[in-house]
Amino acid sequence: MPVLAERKLSTSIPFLSTRNKLVSLKNEIIKHRVSYLFLAPYAIIFLTFTVIPVVVSLFLSFTYFNILETPKFIGWQNYIRLFLGDDIFLIAVKNTFLLAAITGPIGYLASFLFAWFINELPPKIRAFLILLFYAPSISGNVYMIWTVMFSGDIYGYVNSTLIKLGIINEPIQWLKDPKYMMPVIMVVILWMSLGTGFLAFVAGLQSIERSQYEAAIVDGIKNRWQELWYITLPNMKPMLMFGAVMAITNSFAVGDVTAALAGLPSTDYAAHTVVNHLVDYGTIRFEMGYASAIATVLFIVMVGCNRIIQNLLRKLGR
Amino acid sequence: MVKAKYNPKRPNRSLAGDIANIVVLLIFAAFTALPMVYAICNAFKPLDEIFMFPPRFFVRNPTLDNFRDLFLLMAQSWVPFSRYIFNTLFITAVGTGGHVIIASMAAYVLEKHKFPGAKLFFNIVVTSLMFSPVVTAIPNYMVMAKLNWLDTYWALIIPAFGYSLGLFLMKQFMITVPDSLIESARMDGASEFRIFWQIVMPCVKPGWLTLIIFSFQSLWGNTGGTFIYSEELKPLPYALNQILMGGYARAGVGAAVVFIMMIIPIIMFMVTQSNVIQTMTTSGFKDE
């Protein structure tokens, strides 16, 4: 009997502790029920329409899936093929990194600077200027103007101007020649970079209390640069974080621009990006498993890059 | 001692700086405005100018022919055109309104309430922004099919409620709301919903006005894709794209379509942006 009782006791202890944990979790939920209630509508929708599809895609990256037949599990083969057997993927990675490293930071800085410059203007003309800067993100046919401009014949605006000025003798194939493709695309990306982050900055600058600036004048701030450094930047930190994440997501996800200007595939894959590669396999060759593997690798790279940059920004504020 | 200031209201500004600022802004704005100006010009070009080679940027003989042709084509459509317009308006209005409210509610508790799982959840939302939507399209379709929402408005509206970007943006704006304001409202016995609706939301007005633009833009351009196949439920961009299928003969009509699809978001943009800009002068109650 005593042995039995002892055994019962010993088994009931871990049981009790997990039960205690459950009870305390339940208590926590009851304690914070209002918070969970506020979060619930968003959380349910987000889990259903974002988390589930992402998890399914992660699973698909370990399968052969041609959209018509049921996915076949093939382990790490997609990833092995991606890194060891796909030369074009490596070109795409190189191009994507090059584009992201140059257009990401410049676009980010430009978004902030222009938002800040505009904020200096009288309110009446502000909304109009913001519209002009945001125009590439709101008007439907953005790339058309650039294809006309950089058209490879002598009638393209750039070529005809350069010929008229006597700088070149024959037209340059801006969008077909691997030498010129990337610079042209970078210009276009930068030109389009005043988007989501830019508008968030504009709104963020509006939500800084005017009283802070008034107090700053009393405290002896003399010019707009000091004001920027001591008042505006510290107050803008949440929006700067937001803008940084958007800059990373957008600059690594470049694909539409390159496909629209240089074509898919571009000459010698000189402007091929990871997203172009992904679209190529996902929607043209119907190899969804392989496309999912590409998406997963891109995702991991972006998350890592985001980590590094968030840490840098956090240190900057201190 | 005290130098004469050119603008007594803004003592820490110089005239030269202000002029340089405007000049720089206008130079760059001239470049970014190009596609908009081009689209507007194109819509009023007669056919011979649209097909002109080499292409000319500005319109020489403006005409309304393109719009007349577009309305004639609209009148011939099988489903009354007003139906397409209603569909898009409904999807855009409900989707945007719901997204702003639901995402703001979540953002408010994630930032201002401390509860287990809040940080983890927020990190997952931000991280999800980085997953390519190209490969989630098929799983998304399967989820819709399981829910039996295919071929309904909900297939477009409900997912829009849960966009990651909106929650992220609103959460960042919630940081700027002073805790003392919420605390004192709580002391006065205001319910959490009242605090959220009457105190927090007015404070973050620039945030949700901006979110309205993002949400409006993405829903306004939605063609219904693979989710909607009944003709009478299709949104406006789908119907307009169908008109464009006519090929080269419809190039003029196409320019008119681009113009119409662009002008509504622009009006929306101007309305919300001028409100964003006004908020600074009206919300004097923060941190008082």
Side-chain angles (χ1 to χ4, degrees):
Chain A
M1 270 310 269
V3 176
L4 201 73
E6 210 178 71
R7 199 191 258 167
K8 219 177 189 173
L9 196 73
S10 69
T11 52
S12 67
I13 286 166
F15 171 69
L16 247 180
S17 73
T18 49
R19 202 182 139 166
N20 273 347
K21 257 188 203 158
L22 274 178
V23 167
S24 71
L25 184 70
K26 200 178 152 201
N27 285 340
E28 281 283 296
I29 289 173
I30 290 170
K31 201 172 95 193
H32 299 287
R33 64 183 182 284
V34 180
S35 312
Y36 287 110
L37 216 65
F38 267 66
L39 185 63
Y42 183 87
I44 293 166
I45 293 166
F46 175 73
L47 289 176
T48 319
F49 299 106
T50 304
V51 175
I52 293 178
V54 167
V55 171
V56 172
S57 292
L58 290 178
F59 165 75
L60 286 177
S61 74
F62 293 100
T63 64
Y64 173 81
F65 181 37
N66 60 9
I67 302 182
L68 296 170
E69 298 167 306
T70 17
K72 240 188 337 236
F73 188 78
I74 55 168
W76 291 94
Q77 268 187 46
N78 283 331
Y79 292 93
I80 293 167
R81 182 177 152 206
L82 194 55
F83 285 107
L84 300 179
D86 192 344
D87 293 340
I88 296 161
F89 176 67
L90 297 179
I91 298 175
V93 168
K94 194 199 81 198
N95 288 338
T96 306
F97 267 112
L98 192 66
L99 285 175
I102 293 176
T103 62
I106 299 179
Y108 179 60
L109 279 179
S111 294
F112 179 76
L113 280 180
F114 282 119
W116 180 57
F117 285 161
I118 286 174
N119 202 48
E120 300 277 293
L121 300 175
K124 285 215 176 90
I125 52 172
R126 248 187 254 165
F128 182 64
L129 260 176
I130 296 166
L131 173 67
L132 293 186
F133 278 111
Y134 191 64
S137 309
I138 212 167
S139 28
N141 57 345
V142 236
Y143 304 121
M144 200 151 94
I145 186 103
W146 290 98
T147 44
V148 173
M149 224 176 218
F150 285 104
S151 160
D153 49 41
I154 51 166
Y155 300 111
Y157 293 153
V158 175
N159 275 340
S160 65
T161 314
L162 288 178
I163 288 174
K164 224 176 270 167
L165 293 174
I167 296 170
I168 51 171
N169 288 323
E170 45 190 64
I172 294 175
Q173 298 291 324
W174 296 104
L175 302 169
K176 293 277 175 291
D177 188 339
K179 248 196 310 192
Y180 299 105
M181 248 183 240
M182 287 292 263
V184 169
I185 283 164
M186 279 177 198
V187 169
V188 177
I189 293 174
L190 283 175
W191 170 82
M192 291 178 70
S193 59
L194 301 186
T196 323
F198 170 68
L199 282 196
F201 293 152
V202 167
L205 287 167
Q206 292 304 314
S207 56
I208 300 173
E209 267 311 294
R210 184 170 274 186
S211 59
Q212 289 202 28
Y213 290 114
E214 281 154 11
I217 293 168
V218 177
D219 289 347
I221 274 183
K222 284 189 205 69
N223 53 42
R224 61 183 100 204
W225 302 99
Q226 284 184 352
E227 197 183 271
L228 171 73
W229 187 252
Y230 292 108
I231 317 282
T232 312
L233 278 180
N235 273 300
M236 282 288 285
K237 227 171 133 193
M239 281 39 127
L240 290 173
M241 287 276 193
F242 175 83
V245 172
M246 294 327 289
I248 294 167
T249 5
N250 293 336
S251 55
F252 277 98
V254 167
D256 290 351
V257 193
T258 51
L261 291 180
L264 181 66
S266 44
T267 318
D268 287 345
Y269 291 102
H272 205 60
T273 64
V274 175
V275 168
N276 290 147
H277 205 53
L278 195 162
V279 169
D280 186 6
Y281 277 94
T283 61
I284 298 174
R285 305 183 200 211
F286 287 147
E287 288 193 43
M288 244 330 163
Y290 194 61
S292 297
I294 300 172
T296 309
V297 171
L298 182 65
F299 175 66
I300 292 168
V301 169
M302 276 158 89
V303 170
C305 186
N306 181 40
R307 226 355 108 68
I308 296 166
I309 285 166
Q310 295 287 331
N311 280 337
L312 279 177
L313 273 181
R314 221 163 275 147
K315 269 185 202 140
L316 204 76
R318 256 174 222 155
Chain B
M1 252 314 267
V2 180
K3 260 195 296 178
K5 297 283 183 182
Y6 94 97
N7 185 347
K9 268 193 208 153
R10 297 156 72 232
N12 50 4
R13 293 291 183 276
S14 65
L15 178 63
D18 275 355
I19 291 172
N21 182 16
I22 290 205
V23 170
V24 169
L25 282 177
L26 286 178
I27 290 171
F28 280 95
F31 273 103
T32 50
L34 282 179
M36 205 160 72
V37 177
Y38 189 63
I40 293 170
C41 285
N42 255 0
F44 296 99
K45 277 179 190 167
L47 268 187
D48 59 324
E49 277 188 57
I50 285 178
F51 285 119
M52 201 161 144
F53 195 85
R56 193 195 292 143
F57 191 86
F58 291 106
V59 51
R60 196 155 291 171
N61 301 307
T63 162
L64 285 174
D65 284 359
N66 297 333
F67 291 94
R68 196 201 58 207
D69 292 348
L70 176 63
F71 291 129
L72 282 176
L73 279 167
M74 280 178 173
Q76 288 168 8
S77 95
W78 178 43
V79 171
F81 221 80
S82 54
R83 181 67 202 232
Y84 295 120
I85 296 171
F86 168 80
N87 290 341
T88 278
L89 283 180
F90 182 77
I91 292 164
T92 310
V94 177
T96 301
H99 179 45
V100 168
I101 293 169
I102 287 175
S104 302
M105 275 169 70
Y108 165 58
V109 291
L110 285 177
E111 175 58 33
K112 294 299 180 193
H113 291 187
K114 300 282 167 265
F115 61 95
K119 213 167 181 174
L120 177 73
F121 185 81
F122 176 65
N123 283 336
I124 293 174
V125 172
V126 174
T127 310
S128 76
L129 277 169
M130 297 168 192
F131 205 85
S132 171
V134 178
V135 287
T136 53
I138 290 175
N140 238 326
Y141 184 88
M142 297 193 293
V143 169
M144 281 307 164
K146 275 267 176 323
L147 288 169
N148 257 332
W149 280 357
L150 287 177
D151 207 25
T152 64
Y153 290 135
W154 308 120
L156 302 182
I157 293 173
I158 305 287
F161 287 175
Y163 285 163
S164 313
L165 189 139
L167 181 118
F168 186 21
L169 183 73
M170 290 317 294
K171 158 95 168 28
Q172 298 307 90
F173 272 91
M174 293 295 172
I175 297 173
T176 64
V177 180
D179 288 334
S180 55
L181 201 67
I182 297 170
E183 240 2 273
S184 63
R186 219 169 263 156
M187 297 282 214
D188 293 342
S191 70
E192 275 305 308
F193 190 77
R194 234 185 110 171
I195 295 174
F196 164 72
W197 194 247
Q198 295 191 337
I199 291 165
V200 174
M201 283 307 262
C203 272
V204 293
K205 198 174 165 198
W208 54 260
L209 282 170
T210 306
L211 180 55
I212 286 177
I213 298 172
F214 295 148
S215 179
F216 186 92
Q217 257 186 286
S218 76
L219 287 164
W220 176 256
N222 198 320
T223 55
T226 45
F227 292 144
I228 288 186
Y229 36 84
S230 295
E231 195 60 31
E232 66 272 18
L233 293 179
K234 291 272 191 193
L236 184 65
Y238 165 83
L240 292 175
N241 283 341
Q242 288 301 304
I243 289 181
L244 296 190
M245 294 302 206
Y248 281 115
R250 300 263 172 91
V253 179
V257 164
V258 170
F259 178 81
I260 288 178
M261 284 312 287
M262 183 181 82
I263 207 72
I264 306 291
I266 286 180
I267 291 169
M268 193 68 195
F269 183 90
M270 289 308 278
V271 170
T272 50
Q273 276 302 313
S274 47
N275 269 304
V276 166
I277 284 157
Q278 274 164 19
T279 45
M280 189 162 179
T281 42
T282 52
S283 82
F285 60 87
K286 250 194 227 175
D287 262 334
E288 263 180 9

